[in-house]
Amino acid sequence: MTLKKFIFAMAMALASAAPAAATNSPMELKSVLNDLMTWMPGVYSSAPQVFFENSAGPPPDGPHENLYRVFAKIDAPHLGEHVIYTQIHIEGKDGPMFEGQQVLFLVDIDKERQAVRIQGRRIANPEQFRDAHLHPEMWKTIAPDPQYGGNCEFLWRRHGAQIVGKLTEKTKNNDTCTMVSKISDTQMTWDAEWILNDHELWVYDNGYLKDGSLFSGRADKTYLRMSKTRSYECFASYRPFKGDPIVNSGFAMHDGADRYTWAVQGVKQPVHIELTRSMWPSESGQNYKELLRIEMYQGDPEAEPAKRKVLGNGWAGADSDRASFGTGTWGARCKLAEAGAAPPKAS
C-alpha cells in the first residue's frame, strides 16, 4: 500500500468511528425546535405497550413499566425562552409520583454542534412543586437543583419524519455521557436515545458503572414506548331486569389504558371500564394494527384478563373519535373530547 493510500484509509477509519455529524442549517434547526416544542407537550402512557407485551409475549427482560408522564410548556423567563416541566407517575395517572423525576427541560439551539439542545435538570424542593404544570403561580420560582445534573445534554436532530435526541457530554458531540455523581462520587456512563414524533415518544436510557455493569435501564436494550394520550368524554349505562335504567354520564377518560371504576346501585361488585389505544396482538401478523378498545368487566383489575367477568367490549380504528358497545343490559361509549379541551390531569 502506498503512503497516500494508507493516509486515506486511516482518515476514512477515523471518520467512520466518530458519531455522525449534523448538517442542519439554521433554518432546519429552527424547524426541529418548533417540532420539539409542539410535539413533546402532552400526556403520555406506556400502558398500551404493557398491554401488548402481556398479550403477545414480553421481551427478554419482561414487560416494561407502566408509566404515565406529563410534559408541559411553562412560562419561566428566568430559566430561558423555551422551558418544559415533566413529571412521572407509576402505574397510571392515579399512581404515586416517581420521586426524583420532576425535571425541567431547558431547550435552545446549539449552533456550534448543529443541534437542538435539551438540558434536563431536577428541580430544587420538588415537594413544593408537585403538579407544577397545573399551577402557573409556581413557575416564577421554580429552579434547578444545583446538586444534580449539568453534566449531560440531549442533542436533537431530524431523522426523516421524526426527531431524535441522543445524550452527550456537555460541550462534546459524542453519543454517550460519562460523568461523576456530585452526590456519591460514583463514575457512571449514560447511553440514551429518545425518538419523538407527533403522537409517540420512544425512550432508551441505560446507565453503566465504571466496570461496565448495568445499574439503570434494561439489559435487552428495548425501548419504552410512550403513546400520547387523547381525552374522551364517556358515559355508561345499566338496565336491570327490574326497575329503571341507571346512567352514569359525564366522566372523563384517556386512551392510554385508562380505567374508571363505577359503583352501580344494586350491583354487588364494582364495574371497571378501560379505554386503550394500542397495537393489537396477532400471531399471523395479518391483524397487527392499532385499535381503540373499550371494555367493561367485574373482578380484580390487576388480575389476568381471563379471570375477569367481561360485561361487554367494543373496538374501533385507532383514528376513530369514539368507541362503544351495548349488550342490552350493559353499555358504554367514549367520544373524543373537543379540540383544545384540557388533557387528563395527573393526581
mmCIF file of all heavy atoms in Angstrom, residues 310-335:
data_model
loop_
_atom_site.group_PDB
_atom_site.id
_atom_site.type_symbol
_atom_site.label_atom_id
_atom_site.label_comp_id
_atom_site.label_asym_id
_atom_site.label_seq_id
_atom_site.Cartn_x
_atom_site.Cartn_y
_atom_site.Cartn_z
ATOM 1 N N VAL A 310 -66.258 -10.418 31.976
ATOM 2 C CA VAL A 310 -66.436 -9.368 30.972
ATOM 3 C C VAL A 310 -67.930 -9.125 30.765
ATOM 4 O O VAL A 310 -68.691 -10.049 30.488
ATOM 5 C CB VAL A 310 -65.763 -9.760 29.640
ATOM 6 C CG1 VAL A 310 -66.018 -8.689 28.581
ATOM 7 C CG2 VAL A 310 -64.264 -9.948 29.846
ATOM 8 N N LEU A 311 -68.327 -7.863 30.888
ATOM 9 C CA LEU A 311 -69.718 -7.479 30.705
ATOM 10 C C LEU A 311 -69.990 -6.965 29.297
ATOM 11 O O LEU A 311 -71.142 -6.960 28.840
ATOM 12 C CB LEU A 311 -70.101 -6.399 31.728
ATOM 13 C CG LEU A 311 -69.869 -6.769 33.194
ATOM 14 C CD1 LEU A 311 -70.205 -5.583 34.093
ATOM 15 C CD2 LEU A 311 -70.702 -7.990 33.585
ATOM 16 N N GLY A 312 -68.938 -6.519 28.611
ATOM 17 C CA GLY A 312 -69.098 -6.037 27.249
ATOM 18 C C GLY A 312 -67.826 -5.390 26.757
ATOM 19 O O GLY A 312 -66.991 -4.951 27.553
ATOM 20 N N ASN A 313 -67.653 -5.348 25.440
ATOM 21 C CA ASN A 313 -66.494 -4.675 24.878
ATOM 22 C C ASN A 313 -66.785 -4.267 23.432
ATOM 23 O O ASN A 313 -67.724 -4.758 22.810
ATOM 24 C CB ASN A 313 -65.228 -5.542 24.949
ATOM 25 C CG ASN A 313 -65.450 -6.936 24.384
ATOM 26 O OD1 ASN A 313 -66.042 -7.101 23.320
ATOM 27 N ND2 ASN A 313 -64.977 -7.949 25.102
ATOM 28 N N GLY A 314 -65.954 -3.354 22.951
ATOM 29 C CA GLY A 314 -66.104 -2.889 21.581
ATOM 30 C C GLY A 314 -64.786 -2.379 21.043
ATOM 31 O O GLY A 314 -63.872 -2.045 21.815
ATOM 32 N N TRP A 315 -64.650 -2.339 19.710
ATOM 33 C CA TRP A 315 -63.418 -1.922 19.059
ATOM 34 C C TRP A 315 -63.734 -0.889 17.986
ATOM 35 O O TRP A 315 -64.827 -0.847 17.423
ATOM 36 C CB TRP A 315 -62.714 -3.105 18.390
ATOM 37 C CG TRP A 315 -62.183 -4.131 19.325
ATOM 38 C CD1 TRP A 315 -60.928 -4.221 19.836
ATOM 39 C CD2 TRP A 315 -62.897 -5.252 19.866
ATOM 40 N NE1 TRP A 315 -60.814 -5.319 20.660
ATOM 41 C CE2 TRP A 315 -62.013 -5.966 20.695
ATOM 42 C CE3 TRP A 315 -64.205 -5.711 19.727
ATOM 43 C CZ2 TRP A 315 -62.383 -7.114 21.380
ATOM 44 C CZ3 TRP A 315 -64.591 -6.849 20.416
ATOM 45 C CH2 TRP A 315 -63.674 -7.535 21.238
ATOM 46 N N ALA A 316 -62.724 -0.088 17.680
ATOM 47 C CA ALA A 316 -62.813 0.868 16.568
ATOM 48 C C ALA A 316 -61.399 1.088 16.059
ATOM 49 O O ALA A 316 -60.412 0.719 16.713
ATOM 50 C CB ALA A 316 -63.431 2.183 17.024
ATOM 51 N N GLY A 317 -61.285 1.688 14.879
ATOM 52 C CA GLY A 317 -59.970 2.023 14.361
ATOM 53 C C GLY A 317 -59.279 3.035 15.257
ATOM 54 O O GLY A 317 -59.932 3.809 15.964
ATOM 55 N N ALA A 318 -57.952 3.027 15.234
ATOM 56 C CA ALA A 318 -57.189 3.893 16.136
ATOM 57 C C ALA A 318 -57.496 5.363 15.919
ATOM 58 O O ALA A 318 -57.390 6.174 16.849
ATOM 59 C CB ALA A 318 -55.695 3.635 15.953
ATOM 60 N N ASP A 319 -57.856 5.763 14.712
ATOM 61 C CA ASP A 319 -58.139 7.161 14.417
ATOM 62 C C ASP A 319 -59.600 7.535 14.642
ATOM 63 O O ASP A 319 -59.981 8.685 14.407
ATOM 64 C CB ASP A 319 -57.753 7.481 12.968
ATOM 65 C CG ASP A 319 -56.257 7.355 12.734
ATOM 66 O OD1 ASP A 319 -55.501 7.598 13.686
ATOM 67 O OD2 ASP A 319 -55.859 7.009 11.606
ATOM 68 N N SER A 320 -60.405 6.577 15.097
ATOM 69 C CA SER A 320 -61.811 6.862 15.329
ATOM 70 C C SER A 320 -61.978 7.845 16.482
ATOM 71 O O SER A 320 -61.164 7.879 17.415
ATOM 72 C CB SER A 320 -62.563 5.569 15.646
ATOM 73 O OG SER A 320 -63.907 5.835 15.988
ATOM 74 N N ASP A 321 -63.054 8.633 16.452
ATOM 75 C CA ASP A 321 -63.288 9.578 17.535
ATOM 76 C C ASP A 321 -64.184 8.989 18.618
ATOM 77 O O ASP A 321 -64.552 9.685 19.559
ATOM 78 C CB ASP A 321 -63.893 10.881 17.005
ATOM 79 C CG ASP A 321 -65.296 10.685 16.417
ATOM 80 O OD1 ASP A 321 -65.717 9.511 16.271
ATOM 81 O OD2 ASP A 321 -65.943 11.690 16.106
ATOM 82 N N ARG A 322 -64.516 7.686 18.516
ATOM 83 C CA ARG A 322 -65.351 7.084 19.543
ATOM 84 C C ARG A 322 -65.242 5.559 19.502
ATOM 85 O O ARG A 322 -64.870 4.973 18.489
ATOM 86 C CB ARG A 322 -66.811 7.498 19.372
ATOM 87 C CG ARG A 322 -67.503 6.930 18.147
ATOM 88 C CD ARG A 322 -68.818 7.647 17.915
ATOM 89 N NE ARG A 322 -68.577 9.054 17.561
ATOM 90 C CZ ARG A 322 -69.500 10.014 17.638
ATOM 91 N NH1 ARG A 322 -70.703 9.724 18.075
ATOM 92 N NH2 ARG A 322 -69.214 11.252 17.283
ATOM 93 N N ALA A 323 -65.580 4.951 20.651
ATOM 94 C CA ALA A 323 -65.680 3.501 20.757
ATOM 95 C C ALA A 323 -66.840 3.204 21.689
ATOM 96 O O ALA A 323 -67.062 3.936 22.667
ATOM 97 C CB ALA A 323 -64.388 2.883 21.284
ATOM 98 N N SER A 324 -67.595 2.139 21.406
ATOM 99 C CA SER A 324 -68.781 1.869 22.212
ATOM 100 C C SER A 324 -69.186 0.405 22.118
ATOM 101 O O SER A 324 -68.683 -0.351 21.281
ATOM 102 C CB SER A 324 -69.944 2.754 21.735
ATOM 103 O OG SER A 324 -70.306 2.426 20.398
ATOM 104 N N PHE A 325 -70.118 0.025 22.992
ATOM 105 C CA PHE A 325 -70.744 -1.294 22.910
ATOM 106 C C PHE A 325 -72.076 -1.224 23.652
ATOM 107 O O PHE A 325 -72.312 -0.327 24.473
ATOM 108 C CB PHE A 325 -69.861 -2.394 23.514
ATOM 109 C CG PHE A 325 -69.790 -2.350 25.013
ATOM 110 C CD1 PHE A 325 -70.735 -3.008 25.794
ATOM 111 C CD2 PHE A 325 -68.796 -1.634 25.651
ATOM 112 C CE1 PHE A 325 -70.683 -2.946 27.183
ATOM 113 C CE2 PHE A 325 -68.725 -1.569 27.027
ATOM 114 C CZ PHE A 325 -69.678 -2.233 27.804
ATOM 115 N N GLY A 326 -72.961 -2.159 23.380
ATOM 116 C CA GLY A 326 -74.215 -2.290 24.099
ATOM 117 C C GLY A 326 -74.663 -3.731 24.060
ATOM 118 O O GLY A 326 -74.642 -4.366 23.001
ATOM 119 N N THR A 327 -75.011 -4.270 25.218
ATOM 120 C CA THR A 327 -75.421 -5.671 25.292
ATOM 121 C C THR A 327 -76.903 -5.822 25.600
ATOM 122 O O THR A 327 -77.409 -6.939 25.646
ATOM 123 C CB THR A 327 -74.626 -6.409 26.383
ATOM 124 O OG1 THR A 327 -74.997 -5.880 27.672
ATOM 125 C CG2 THR A 327 -73.139 -6.273 26.162
ATOM 126 N N GLY A 328 -77.593 -4.716 25.814
ATOM 127 C CA GLY A 328 -78.970 -4.768 26.288
ATOM 128 C C GLY A 328 -79.038 -4.529 27.782
ATOM 129 O O GLY A 328 -79.899 -3.796 28.271
ATOM 130 N N THR A 329 -78.080 -5.138 28.518
ATOM 131 C CA THR A 329 -78.008 -4.911 29.972
ATOM 132 C C THR A 329 -76.974 -3.842 30.302
ATOM 133 O O THR A 329 -77.231 -2.931 31.090
ATOM 134 C CB THR A 329 -77.663 -6.214 30.700
ATOM 135 O OG1 THR A 329 -78.654 -7.208 30.399
ATOM 136 C CG2 THR A 329 -77.610 -6.002 32.204
ATOM 137 N N TRP A 330 -75.812 -3.966 29.693
ATOM 138 C CA TRP A 330 -74.712 -3.033 29.950
ATOM 139 C C TRP A 330 -74.346 -2.299 28.664
ATOM 140 O O TRP A 330 -74.455 -2.846 27.560
ATOM 141 C CB TRP A 330 -73.479 -3.769 30.468
ATOM 142 C CG TRP A 330 -73.679 -4.457 31.776
ATOM 143 C CD1 TRP A 330 -73.981 -5.776 31.967
ATOM 144 C CD2 TRP A 330 -73.614 -3.867 33.064
ATOM 145 N NE1 TRP A 330 -74.098 -6.061 33.303
ATOM 146 C CE2 TRP A 330 -73.871 -4.900 34.010
ATOM 147 C CE3 TRP A 330 -73.349 -2.570 33.539
ATOM 148 C CZ2 TRP A 330 -73.881 -4.665 35.385
ATOM 149 C CZ3 TRP A 330 -73.353 -2.346 34.908
ATOM 150 C CH2 TRP A 330 -73.618 -3.374 35.816
ATOM 151 N N GLY A 331 -73.886 -1.077 28.819
ATOM 152 C CA GLY A 331 -73.434 -0.310 27.666
ATOM 153 C C GLY A 331 -72.454 0.780 28.094
ATOM 154 O O GLY A 331 -72.460 1.232 29.245
ATOM 155 N N ALA A 332 -71.602 1.206 27.181
ATOM 156 C CA ALA A 332 -70.655 2.296 27.451
ATOM 157 C C ALA A 332 -70.226 2.904 26.130
ATOM 158 O O ALA A 332 -70.189 2.218 25.098
ATOM 159 C CB ALA A 332 -69.446 1.799 28.229
ATOM 160 N N ARG A 333 -69.917 4.185 26.163
ATOM 161 C CA ARG A 333 -69.423 4.881 24.979
ATOM 162 C C ARG A 333 -68.459 5.968 25.412
ATOM 163 O O ARG A 333 -68.693 6.656 26.406
ATOM 164 C CB ARG A 333 -70.565 5.513 24.190
ATOM 165 C CG ARG A 333 -70.104 6.158 22.882
ATOM 166 C CD ARG A 333 -71.226 6.947 22.223
ATOM 167 N NE ARG A 333 -71.483 8.184 22.968
ATOM 168 C CZ ARG A 333 -72.464 9.046 22.648
ATOM 169 N NH1 ARG A 333 -73.267 8.782 21.636
ATOM 170 N NH2 ARG A 333 -72.640 10.130 23.368
ATOM 171 N N CYS A 334 -67.378 6.113 24.673
ATOM 172 C CA CYS A 334 -66.434 7.207 24.884
ATOM 173 C C CYS A 334 -66.267 7.954 23.562
ATOM 174 O O CYS A 334 -66.023 7.329 22.525
ATOM 175 C CB CYS A 334 -65.085 6.693 25.368
ATOM 176 S SG CYS A 334 -65.094 6.124 27.088
ATOM 177 N N LYS A 335 -66.393 9.271 23.623
ATOM 178 C CA LYS A 335 -66.280 10.123 22.448
ATOM 179 C C LYS A 335 -65.135 11.102 22.662
ATOM 180 O O LYS A 335 -64.986 11.664 23.743
ATOM 181 C CB LYS A 335 -67.586 10.879 22.210
ATOM 182 C CG LYS A 335 -67.554 11.813 21.017
ATOM 183 C CD LYS A 335 -68.876 12.564 20.899
ATOM 184 C CE LYS A 335 -68.833 13.561 19.745
ATOM 185 N NZ LYS A 335 -70.092 14.341 19.645
#
